[in-house]
Amino acid sequence: MSDIREMLEETVAKLLKDHCSKELITQAEQGVFPVSLWKKLEELGVTSVAIEEENGGSGGDLGDFFSILKLTGYYAAPIPYAEHILSNWFLTSIGFTMVPGITTFSQELSQDVINFNRMGDTYSLNGTASFVPWGRDADFIIVIGMDPNGNKLAASIPLQDCEIHSNNSLAGEPRNCILLKNVEITLESVKEIDPIKIEELLNLLTLTRVMMMTGALERVLELSVSYSKERIQFGKPISKFQAIQQQLAILAGEVTASMAVADYIVNKVDRKIGQDEVAMAKIQLGDAAEKVTRIAHQVHAAMGFTDEHPLHQSTRRLWSWREECGAETTWAKALGQEILTTSFDQLWPYITSFKE
């Protein structure tokens, strides 16, 4: 880890620790966006990290972004950090500069039907972005669609020009349906893109869920160990019982394995992570989320299900993020098909090879 990244992590961790109280997270789940927290992050420059300075960003790389992202998962920060950074990373990668305000895009980007129809000096956009994180609180949405000739086009649209249908995830985070009805934009606001760029964006989005889940898993482990030392049963802390120790050891093992995946992502993401690696990462975190949340709630017993205890704020996010961008079963099937198609006669070399 570079000194700059370590300093950045320490600064952001302190800010999130000070601001991401249980009360703030609860208010966000009730529809109150944490404006003060977002402004503090803007002042630090971390809402534009991984974006080149000439494009309006504050510099840094994707590794810096992903290392911060894990912290947002740990503190259950109720902000669209992943979507905002990736939106602007995508825009700058296709020749635009950062847009002002919070930006997001649909998780179903490759499946949403958005029609770009040229009307003289403008494009008229019609369609639906079906699963948009934080669409309710964002200022712009990145949309990708097609013109009548079959060309893939991308644009950034002010959300004030769209119709927003509210919905929330299990974690209480906005997951909105956005309708575009004859939204007009200039020709200069549209770029033709390579479909490979969409795949790259969605792979990075999947990895954001991996990083956020890793942070949440670390938090769940910390809460479980702490509670096991505080809860007294039969005259001693439950952490002294062998059955509890065994379950906590399993929990810790899953978290450690997930942290290894997260470290790999941070160190390699700027050199590009392949589709099979994305699949393996999401599979590991999905499996870990199932085991860790089950054990954590067992250790906490009834206390873990109460509203006043913070455990649910992490476990609900783990359950929600586990399903987003493809659950582990979806990725396992895709990975298995890929192996059968390309490496069925070279399975052992495929498993044991190291990709640099």
Side-chain angles (χ1 to χ4, degrees), residues 158-216:
L159 275 160
Q160 66 181 13
D161 297 338
C162 305
E163 184 178 312
I164 302 175
H165 290 197
S166 296
N167 196 12
N168 288 342
S169 70
L170 179 63
E173 296 179 326
R175 297 293 184 263
N176 306 120
C177 178
I178 309 296
L179 301 183
L180 288 77
K181 297 180 179 179
N182 300 315
V183 176
E184 289 195 10
I185 56 175
T186 64
L187 300 182
E188 294 76 19
S189 302
V190 177
K191 292 280 187 182
E192 185 173 346
I193 60 170
D194 189 325
I196 293 176
K197 206 69 186 172
I198 303 173
E199 181 181 309
E200 187 177 359
L201 175 62
L202 292 177
N203 280 342
L204 287 173
L205 181 64
T206 302
L207 292 176
T208 66
R209 294 320 188 245
V210 170
M211 296 302 297
M212 290 155 63
M213 289 171 73
T214 302

Side-chain angles (χ1 to χ4, degrees), residues 202-254:
L202 292 177
N203 280 342
L204 287 173
L205 181 64
T206 302
L207 292 176
T208 66
R209 294 320 188 245
V210 170
M211 296 302 297
M212 290 155 63
M213 289 171 73
T214 302
L217 288 172
E218 288 187 64
R219 176 63 171 157
V220 169
L221 172 61
E222 180 184 279
L223 289 171
S224 299
V225 171
S226 177
Y227 182 78
S228 72
K229 293 178 180 178
E230 297 169 359
R231 178 73 168 92
I232 305 299
Q233 189 71 37
F234 303 116
K236 60 181 179 180
I238 62 173
S239 62
K240 299 295 184 181
F241 292 96
Q242 187 174 9
I244 298 294
Q245 292 174 349
Q246 181 185 30
Q247 291 301 301
L248 288 176
I250 294 172
L251 194 161
E254 291 293 338

Side-chain angles (χ1 to χ4, degrees), residues 60-313:
D61 54 30
L62 287 173
D64 298 324
F65 161 53
F66 277 99
S67 64
I68 294 171
L69 200 59
K70 188 171 76 165
L71 294 172
T72 68
Y74 179 89
Y75 290 103
I79 52 175
Y81 189 67
E83 292 76 18
H84 175 74
I85 295 290
L86 284 185
S87 294
N88 284 291
W89 172 87
F90 176 77
L91 287 174
T92 57
S93 72
I94 62 174
F96 288 119
T97 57
M98 282 191 67
V99 294
I102 299 173
T103 312
T104 186
F105 61 94
S106 170
Q107 288 191 14
E108 305 294 335
L109 201 63
S110 61
Q111 301 173 32
D112 291 337
V113 178
I114 308 289
N115 296 312
F116 284 68
N117 295 307
R118 186 164 178 175
M119 312 285 289
D121 294 333
T122 64
Y123 276 102
S124 177
L125 277 61
N126 289 275
T128 302
S130 56
F131 197 75
V132 182
W134 304 92
R136 175 186 73 198
D137 301 301
D139 301 296
F140 292 88
I141 180 174
I142 308 302
V143 295
I144 293 177
M146 297 178 68
D147 65 12
N149 297 320
N151 299 311
K152 283 282 186 182
L153 303 176
S156 174
I157 309 297
L159 275 160
Q160 66 181 13
D161 297 338
C162 305
E163 184 178 312
I164 302 175
H165 290 197
S166 296
N167 196 12
N168 288 342
S169 70
L170 179 63
E173 296 179 326
R175 297 293 184 263
N176 306 120
C177 178
I178 309 296
L179 301 183
L180 288 77
K181 297 180 179 179
N182 300 315
V183 176
E184 289 195 10
I185 56 175
T186 64
L187 300 182
E188 294 76 19
S189 302
V190 177
K191 292 280 187 182
E192 185 173 346
I193 60 170
D194 189 325
I196 293 176
K197 206 69 186 172
I198 303 173
E199 181 181 309
E200 187 177 359
L201 175 62
L202 292 177
N203 280 342
L204 287 173
L205 181 64
T206 302
L207 292 176
T208 66
R209 294 320 188 245
V210 170
M211 296 302 297
M212 290 155 63
M213 289 171 73
T214 302
L217 288 172
E218 288 187 64
R219 176 63 171 157
V220 169
L221 172 61
E222 180 184 279
L223 289 171
S224 299
V225 171
S226 177
Y227 182 78
S228 72
K229 293 178 180 178
E230 297 169 359
R231 178 73 168 92
I232 305 299
Q233 189 71 37
F234 303 116
K236 60 181 179 180
I238 62 173
S239 62
K240 299 295 184 181
F241 292 96
Q242 187 174 9
I244 298 294
Q245 292 174 349
Q246 181 185 30
Q247 291 301 301
L248 288 176
I250 294 172
L251 194 161
E254 291 293 338
V255 174
T256 300
S258 299
M259 290 171 62
V261 171
D263 288 343
Y264 179 84
I265 291 170
V266 169
N267 291 322
K268 195 184 175 184
V269 66
D270 285 288
R271 290 174 285 164
K272 192 174 181 181
I273 292 178
Q275 182 90 13
D276 54 350
E277 295 168 299
V278 173
M280 292 177 203
K282 195 60 163 64
I283 291 168
Q284 163 59 33
L285 268 294
D287 285 342
E290 189 279 325
K291 295 171 186 173
V292 166
T293 55
R294 172 170 47 81
I295 293 172
H297 278 285
Q298 288 174 338
V299 170
H300 282 79
M303 180 59 71
F305 290 95
T306 60
D307 183 64
E308 60 265 27
H309 197 281
L311 178 66
H312 68 92
Q313 292 183 328

